[in-house]
Amino acid sequence: MTGLRWGILATGGIAGAFASDLRTAGLDLVAVGSRSQESADAFAARFDIARAHPSYEALVADPDVDIIYVSTPHPMHHENARLALEAGKHVLVEKPFTLNHAEAEDLQRLAAERGLLVMEAMWTRYLPHMVRIREIIAAGTLGEIRAVTADHTQLLPSDPAHRLNALELGGGALLDLGIYPISFVWDILGAPTDIRAVGRLIETGADAEVATVMTHAGGAISTTLSSSRAAGANAATVVGTAARIDIDRVWYVPTTFRVVLPDGTVIEEYDSEVAGRGMQYQAHAAERLVRDGVLEGDLLPIAESVAIMGTLDEIRSQIGVRYPGEEADRG
C-alpha cells in the first residue's frame, strides 16, 4: 500500500458510503470538505475524520491530503476535479466521470500535464465478481462473445424538482443509472461501432427511460435498458458461442453469477464475499496505480472513461437531451 491520505469532497449519500468502505478497508481517511462547516463537522464526527473543512478550496489546499474523492452532483464533477488537480492532488471522480465528453477530455489533459492520477469511480469494475468474469472470458470459456445485455432500472422519486429529474443537475436515467450498463458493455465488448438509442423524456426534459442497441467489434451486439420510473430485474448476461454468464440481481453490486453451457449445465457458480458495499476496491486500485507511478488505469483507463462520455453524448443527442450551458453546436 502507498499509505495515501484521502480527502472527501462533499458530504452526500455516496460520500458516506465511500467513507464507510474506506474505514472498513483500513485506508487513511484524513479530511472532508463541504460548503459549510456544520456539514463538514457532522460528516467528520460520523466517520472519525480528523479535519473538517468549510469549503472545497480549503480541502484541496490541505497539505496532509494526497488524493481527493469527488462526490458532488454530475455538473460539478469537472469544476471540483479540476480544483483538486490544480492543487496537486490525485483525484477519484464519482461516476459518471463528467457531464459530457468535452469536460472529460479537459480533466484528462490537465491530469497528464500535472503528472497526476485522475480516475472514474466506476466501482463495479473493481468488484471481485467482475474480476472473475473477466478471467473467465480471457480463458476462452465462453467462446466467441456474441451479445451482452444489462439493465439498471429503479423506482426513483418523480418530483420534478428532485435532483434526478432536474436537467440543471444532470438529472435523468442515463447519467445516474445508464452509466452502469453502458460502462459494462464497454468493459466486455469494447467501443461501440454503431449506436442506436431511444428514450422517453419527462416534463423537465430529463430522460426517464433509455434503451440502447449497440454493435461492437466483430459484430457483437449489446442491449441496455435504464429507467428511473420502474424497477426491473437488474440482471446481466454475457452470451458466448460456448457458454454464457448469468449475473444475478443486482448485477452491479457484489452478487452471484453462473457459467452455463448451451445444454443448461452449470460449470461454475460464484458468490461474492465482500465487506461493506465494495467501494474500497476502487480505492485500493487508485492507491496501487499511484504506488506504481501509473497514471492510466488498467481496469478502467482514463482514455476509456473519456470515450464512454462520448458514447453518452451520442445517446443524449439521439434521444434529445441537452443540459443547460452546453454549447449549442454540440453533435
Side-chain angles (χ1 to χ4, degrees), residues 10 13 60 118 130 158 180 182 185 192 196 210-211 219 243 245 282 284 312:
V60 302
V118 63
M130 289 295 180
S158 59
Y180 284 91
I182 296 297
V185 300
R196 308 292 174 91
V210 181
I245 298 175
Q282 64 183 350
H284 282 301
L312 297 182

Side-chain angles (χ1 to χ4, degrees), residues 96-177:
F97 186 53
T98 52
L99 198 63
N100 55 43
H101 183 262
E103 291 182 350
E105 277 192 320
D106 181 63
L107 292 184
Q108 179 188 26
R109 181 170 51 250
L110 178 60
E113 290 173 356
R114 299 298 176 96
L116 296 166
L117 175 73
V118 63
M119 177 174 142
E120 182 184 9
M122 176 43 72
W123 61 289
T124 298
R125 288 221 185 179
Y126 302 90
L127 293 174
H129 75 284
M130 289 295 180
V131 173
R132 179 58 188 146
I133 285 169
R134 284 189 290 269
E135 291 172 347
I136 292 168
I137 292 171
T141 304
L142 303 189
E144 182 183 359
I145 298 177
R146 301 310 309 153
V148 174
T149 182
D151 78 302
H152 190 175
T153 49
Q154 297 189 37
L155 182 59
L156 299 176
S158 59
D159 179 0
H162 193 281
R163 176 190 71 81
L164 292 165
N165 304 308
L167 276 183
E168 65 272 17
L169 294 177
L174 183 64
L175 291 199
D176 264 279
L177 308 178

Side-chain angles (χ1 to χ4, degrees), residues 64-99:
D64 292 324
V65 172
D66 303 309
I67 184 167
I68 301 286
Y69 169 66
V70 172
S71 62
T72 44
H74 314 325
M76 292 77 168
H77 287 182
H78 174 252
E79 176 186 352
N80 298 151
R82 190 169 237 287
L83 183 72
L85 290 168
E86 289 175 340
K89 311 299 186 185
H90 303 289
V91 184
L92 177 66
V93 185
E94 187 50 48
K95 49 80 199 137
F97 186 53
T98 52
L99 198 63

Side-chain angles (χ1 to χ4, degrees), residues 234-258:
N234 288 314
T237 303
V238 180
V239 181
T241 54
R244 73 176 190 271
I245 298 175
D246 292 334
I247 314 175
D248 296 318
R249 178 182 177 87
V250 173
W251 68 266
Y252 48 85
V253 306
T255 188
T256 56
F257 72 76
R258 290 165 307 288

Side-chain angles (χ1 to χ4, degrees), residues 18-55:
F18 186 68
S20 179
D21 282 350
L22 286 184
R23 287 290 183 232
T24 295
L27 299 183
D28 197 7
L29 174 55
V30 302
V32 61
S34 181
R35 290 175 294 183
S36 74
Q37 188 69 63
E38 181 181 12
S39 176
D41 286 342
F43 194 91
R46 181 181 169 195
F47 295 104
D48 190 25
I49 300 171
R51 286 184 297 288
H53 296 289
S55 70

Side-chain angles (χ1 to χ4, degrees), residues 286-310:
E287 293 209 0
R288 173 176 54 82
L289 291 170
V290 172
R291 178 198 66 202
D292 295 343
V294 178
L295 302 181
E296 188 77 16
D298 45 5
L299 295 186
L300 182 53
I302 186 58
E304 186 170 329
S305 290
V306 172
I308 288 172
M309 291 311 307

Side-chain angles (χ1 to χ4, degrees), residues 141 243 259-261 265-269:
T141 304
V259 182
V260 185
L261 297 180
T265 302
V266 176
I267 60 172
E268 179 174 337
E269 294 189 65

